[in-house]
Amino acid sequence: MCIRDRFGANFGGATTSYWGTNTPCTISAYMLVYIKKPQVATLTAAPPLDTIPDHLRRRYERDEVDRIKKDREQAEAHLYTKVHFIDSHDLAEHPSLFRSKRPRGLTFPSGRGVRALNSALALDSFASVVEDQFNIPREKQFLWCVAGGTEAGDELGMKRLILPGDTVESVAGYDREELCVFVSSLAETGNMVVDHSSNSYD
């Protein structure tokens, strides 16, 4: 083995396969370091900011702000519900939306949703996003969600119209972290026919 091959095998580079082609060397190297217990805190502590280059310090500060934000959002997650807005095309493509407040395995565009405070009024929290994403003025918006299933013979279905005074929590339910809301306009609602027995939409 030549020196080039030895360096490639230990520090990356390429090796020649049986067929004569060069393949990247992907072997990882590890170093075992022993540290005295009294020195662990000192050696693993974050270095003083004035000893870090400016570009790394700015990145560290941004990462620290993001970490604090994520920790706060996680701690307050139970106070909010993630709401996904869907339209007639989504219902036609995913019939399971008729009978589930948030079917598993479905993904939704990030821009068509909102993180709403559970105690807030639903229509106040939803209206601006719906107007921006669906171009429907607030006064012409009709928002629906799945309801039912609490009594015998009462099947789940896209049949609850969200009304003024409804809170996000009353619409989503007390144990829900996510919710799908069907968006329709005044014109659509007048011509909307939903057959819950076959999960169809016309």
Side-chain angles (χ1 to χ4, degrees), residues 4 26 45 50 74 77 81 108 150 152 154 164 189 192:
R4 179 178 179 180
T26 57
D50 57 359
Q74 186 174 3
T81 296
F108 302 91
T150 58
D154 182 20
T189 302
M192 185 172 66

Side-chain angles (χ1 to χ4, degrees), residues 26-138:
T26 57
I27 298 175
S28 298
Y30 298 89
M31 180 180 293
L32 182 62
V33 179
Y34 292 93
I35 301 175
K36 294 181 179 180
K37 288 184 179 180
Q39 297 178 331
V40 170
T42 302
L43 294 176
T44 58
L49 290 179
D50 57 359
T51 65
I52 302 176
D54 288 342
H55 68 287
L56 294 179
R57 179 176 52 80
R58 288 192 295 269
R59 178 177 177 180
Y60 170 80
E61 291 173 347
R62 289 196 302 268
D63 291 344
E64 187 67 10
V65 170
D66 291 341
R67 184 191 65 79
I68 294 173
K69 180 181 177 181
K70 289 180 180 178
D71 289 345
R72 184 175 65 250
E73 290 179 349
Q74 186 174 3
E76 299 176 350
H78 64 286
L79 301 176
Y80 294 84
T81 296
K82 178 64 177 178
V83 181
H84 307 278
F85 298 107
I86 59 177
D87 57 15
S88 56
H89 299 289
D90 297 314
L91 288 177
E93 187 174 354
H94 304 288
S96 59
L97 291 168
F98 280 102
R99 298 190 181 278
S100 176
K101 291 190 175 183
R102 173 60 168 94
R104 295 181 179 180
L106 295 183
T107 57
F108 302 91
S110 58
R112 286 172 44 185
V114 65
R115 185 171 179 258
L117 185 66
N118 289 334
S119 59
L121 293 176
L123 293 181
D124 289 344
S125 301
F126 303 163
S128 60
V129 179
V130 172
E131 184 169 2
D132 179 60
Q133 294 296 320
F134 295 88
N135 198 29
I136 302 175
R138 176 168 182 160

